């Protein structure tokens, strides 16, 4: 009985050894590589964008004297409401007053000479008609009259100029508005053209935004804006672009966009922070994360996942535009396909993958 058990044990061991050898001869099954993926879709048109800016006057006027001088007072302060013709500041006008007095004195002298010249001319004209004066004497009287008339015209022009110079010592507002900044204080010597006060005109208000070039390029023609106070979104209005700066700011590299506000509510005071929302004119195409792109020479491609057997294949794509975190493709993919977004550099065609979910 023991002999039969030994033979059976040996036979079992031999069979187990043969089976183990067969399993070792089989090639190992490759492990599926874990990758992140995303299902691509058509890029939606009318993508909303929100901007933050400030309310500013549509017209801002810098008020300055037309001549240099010592400013003796400034009668307005920041925040004051001004009306057309209201006095803003005064210059010391003593020099201009003296100049006007001198010009008026010269005018009086010129007019006296004109009266004398007219009398002489009339007398010489009468004597000539009676034959008691020569033609030379008459011509001399006529020339003296013409010279006196010219002197009076010149003196009158000097008086007018002196009065204008005296008027320039008083700075007045041209339009109704609000004083938003001041540039000089009483007691200073100001130069001609130096801003003394800046007036925000009451003629309208703009929402002013600093906008990147990427958004500028994606704006449709004449886009509509919805503008609201950031502190209270219930207070808002609509608007349209009035002006886009032709040149970017050298520091921020953004463009100043002015949106004219339609009937802004009274709560939208100058300097208020507002949010502006509009829809971008997004081009047709498929947007994918930048990490999904594989570069090979001059061509670009992505790894497409076969969702049935979970294998990948490389497919060429056409890039329309590069954005900060994504690329826009115009060809090579169809909406609904799954692509790899992380681990693209370590894949090969036909490789099995294990999907970890959407890309971050």
């Amino acid at each position: 009985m023991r002999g039969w058990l030994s033979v059976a044990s040996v036979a079992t061991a031999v069979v187990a050894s043969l089976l183990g050898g067969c399993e070792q001869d089989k090639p190992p099954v490759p492990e599926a590589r874990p990758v992140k993926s995303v299902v691509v879709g058509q890029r939606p048109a009318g993508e909303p964008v929100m901007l933050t800016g400030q309310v500013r006057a549509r017209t801002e006027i810098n008020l300055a004297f037309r001549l240099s001088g010592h400013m003796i007072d400034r009668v307005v302060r920041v925040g004051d409401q001004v009306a057309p013709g209201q006095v803003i500041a005064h210059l010391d006008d003593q020099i201009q007053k003296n100049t006007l007095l001198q010009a008026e004195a010269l005018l009086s002298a010129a007019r006296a000479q004109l009266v004398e010249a007219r009398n002489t001319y009339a007398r010489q004209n009468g004597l000539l008609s009676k034959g008691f004066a020569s033609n030379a004497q008459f011509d001399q009287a006529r020339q003296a009259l013409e010279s006196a008339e010219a002197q009076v015209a010149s003196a009158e022009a000097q008086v007018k100029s002196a009065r204008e110079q005296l008027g320039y010592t008083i700075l007045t507002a041209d339009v109704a508005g609000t004083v938003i900044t001041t540039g000089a204080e009483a007691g200073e010597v100001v130069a001609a053209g130096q801003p003394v006060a800046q007036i925000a005109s009451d003629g309208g208000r703009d929402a002013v935004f600093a906008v990147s070039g990427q958004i500028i390029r994606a704006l449709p023609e004449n886009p509509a804006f919805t503008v609201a106070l950031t502190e209270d979104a219930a207070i808002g209005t609509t608007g349209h672009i009035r002006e886009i700066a032709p040149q970017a700011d050298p520091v921020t590299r953004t463009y100043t966009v002015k949106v004219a506000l339609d009937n802004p509510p009274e709560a939208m005071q100058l300097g208020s922070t507002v949010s502006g929302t509009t829809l971008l004119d997004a081009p047709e195409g498929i947007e994918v994360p930048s990490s999904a792109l594989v570069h090979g020479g001059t061509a670009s491609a992505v790894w497409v996942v076969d969702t049935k057997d979970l294998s990948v294949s490389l497919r060429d794509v056409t890039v329309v535009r590069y954005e900060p975190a994504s690329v826009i493709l115009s060809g090579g993919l169809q909406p609904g396909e799954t692509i790899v977004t992380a681990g693209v550099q370590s894949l090969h065609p036909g490789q099995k993958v294990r999907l970890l979910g959407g890309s971050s």
Side-chain angles (χ1 to χ4, degrees), residues 331-348:
L333 287 178
Q334 296 297 324
E337 291 187 302
T338 302
I339 62 170
V340 178
T341 60
V344 296
Q345 302 299 333
S346 58
L347 299 177
H348 58 79

Side-chain angles (χ1 to χ4, degrees), residues 109-152:
R111 284 173 175 171
Q113 291 178 359
L114 177 59
V115 171
E116 182 181 355
R118 282 174 177 171
N119 293 335
T120 302
Y121 174 78
R123 185 168 54 251
Q124 290 296 327
N125 188 30
L127 292 173
L128 179 64
S129 64
K130 296 177 181 180
F132 295 115
S134 64
N135 289 332
Q137 291 175 324
F138 175 76
D139 290 341
Q140 184 177 4
R142 184 179 61 186
Q143 291 176 359
L145 175 61
E146 292 175 350
S147 176
E149 290 175 342
Q151 289 294 332
V152 170

Side-chain angles (χ1 to χ4, degrees), residues 195-338:
V196 174
Q198 188 177 49
I199 305 297
S201 172
D202 291 339
R205 296 177 188 173
D206 290 340
V208 182
F209 304 100
V211 183
S212 67
Q214 176 187 342
I215 294 178
I216 292 289
R217 291 188 294 270
L219 285 174
E221 184 178 357
N222 195 24
F225 274 80
T226 301
V227 182
L229 290 176
T230 55
E231 59 188 21
D232 188 354
I235 301 175
T237 184
T238 58
H240 59 278
I241 290 180
R242 185 177 66 85
E243 179 184 308
I244 298 178
Q247 193 172 19
D249 184 275
V251 178
T252 62
R253 308 309 303 170
T254 57
Y255 295 83
T256 299
V257 175
K258 296 181 180 179
V259 176
L261 300 178
D262 303 326
N263 300 318
E266 197 63 33
M268 280 191 174
Q269 299 292 329
L270 296 176
S272 300
T273 303
V274 292
S275 299
T277 306
T278 188
L279 299 179
L280 299 182
D281 190 12
E284 293 186 0
I286 292 178
E287 183 176 12
V288 301
S290 301
S291 59
L293 210 60
V294 179
H295 298 280
T298 58
S300 298
V302 295
W303 289 105
V304 181
V305 180
D306 186 339
T307 54
K308 293 182 179 179
D309 62 2
L310 295 181
S311 62
V312 295
S313 60
L314 197 61
R315 187 183 300 174
D316 292 338
V317 293
T318 303
V319 179
V320 176
R321 187 172 73 250
Y322 291 90
E323 296 190 350
S326 62
V327 292
I328 309 302
L329 308 178
S330 64
L333 287 178
Q334 296 297 324
E337 291 187 302
T338 302

